[in-house]
Amino acid sequence: MRFLDNLTLATMKIKTMKQVIFLILFLSLCSFLRQMDNYFNPTGEYKLNTKTIKKNGETYGYFGDMKVVTLSKDKILISFFVCKGAPSYNSGSFVDTLEYKNNVAIYKSDSISDPSCNMKMVFTQKGVDVELKSDNPNFACGFGQAVDSQGFYKRVKGKVPRKEEILLDAER
C-alpha cells in the first residue's frame, strides 16, 4: 500500500513539474510575442515641439526636425536638424544610417568633433524623445555653440520622406 502511495505521489510531482515547465515556456513565448508587437516603424517626419516667437522677421527659440526612412527592421536613415534661433542661429545637423533596436536609435558623432556624444532617440507613435549626453555641452556632437538637441519631436507625417528632402537637409 505504501508503494502505491509513493507511486501516486511521484506521478503527481511529475505532472506538477510538467505544468510548471509548460507555464514557463508559455510565459516566455508571450513575452517574445509582446516584444514583436511593440515594434514601431519610425518612417516619417518629426518637428521639435517647442514654442518659437517671430519678431521682425527673426525666429526666437529652438526649432528643428528629423526625417526618417526605415531601411530594414534594424536600420534607419535619418536626417536631423536643430537650430537655437535668433540672434545666433547656431545649429547642428547630421545625415546618417543608425541601428534601430527596440524602437531606439543612438547617434554618436565622429571621434574628432565629440567622442563623448551620445544622442538617444526613443520612437513612439506620437513622436521621438531625444536625450543628449556629452562631456562638452557647449559643442555637443559637433553642433554649434550651446546647441541642445534634446526634447520631444512630434510626428507630423508618417510617409517616407522624398529623397530630395533628405539631400536638401544634408546641404544645410
Side-chain angles (χ1 to χ4, degrees):
M1 189 80 154
R2 189 166 260 240
F3 174 72
L4 286 175
D5 287 341
N6 287 340
L7 184 59
T8 304
L9 186 60
T11 304
M12 288 175 52
K13 283 183 180 180
I14 290 172
K15 282 184 181 179
T16 303
M17 289 291 284
K18 284 182 180 179
Q19 289 172 341
V20 168
I21 291 171
F22 176 76
L23 183 62
I24 290 171
L25 290 173
F26 179 74
L27 291 175
S28 297
L29 180 63
C30 288
S31 175
F32 175 76
L33 291 175
R34 193 173 75 238
Q35 285 178 350
M36 296 283 289
D37 288 343
N38 286 338
Y39 174 81
F40 173 71
N41 183 341
T43 293
E45 295 184 35
Y46 304 82
K47 297 273 183 212
L48 181 58
N49 195 25
T50 58
K51 292 192 181 216
T52 58
I53 298 171
K54 301 238 182 206
K55 184 177 175 185
N56 299 327
E58 301 286 341
T59 303
Y60 292 85
Y62 276 88
F63 57 93
D65 61 54
M66 66 175 83
K67 295 174 182 81
V68 180
V69 176
T70 301
L71 302 175
S72 68
K73 193 167 181 154
D74 61 351
K75 283 248 188 269
I76 60 173
L77 172 66
I78 184 169
S79 170
F80 182 90
F81 173 78
V82 65
C83 183
K84 194 173 177 178
S88 69
Y89 288 99
N90 291 345
S91 64
S93 65
F94 66 85
V95 176
D96 204 349
T97 302
L98 304 176
E99 284 189 33
Y100 183 70
K101 296 203 187 291
N102 299 321
N103 303 326
V104 174
I106 296 177
Y107 171 74
K108 295 177 182 269
S109 65
D110 61 59
S111 59
I112 295 170
S113 59
D114 182 4
S116 67
C117 166
N118 187 315
M119 185 188 307
K120 180 179 178 181
M121 295 165 269
V122 180
F123 290 82
T124 66
Q125 290 181 357
K126 292 182 179 182
V128 185
D129 274 312
V130 175
E131 178 184 307
L132 178 66
K133 292 184 180 174
S134 173
D135 292 341
N136 185 2
N138 281 322
F139 291 99
C141 298
F143 294 169
Q145 183 177 8
V147 172
D148 188 357
S149 60
Q150 297 187 102
F152 183 74
Y153 292 71
K154 184 178 179 181
R155 188 171 196 191
V156 293
K157 196 190 295 186
K159 296 181 181 178
V160 176
R162 293 187 338 265
K163 181 175 153 182
E164 295 80 22
E165 293 173 309
I166 292 174
L167 292 175
L168 285 174
D169 286 349
E171 294 174 1
R172 283 190 216 180

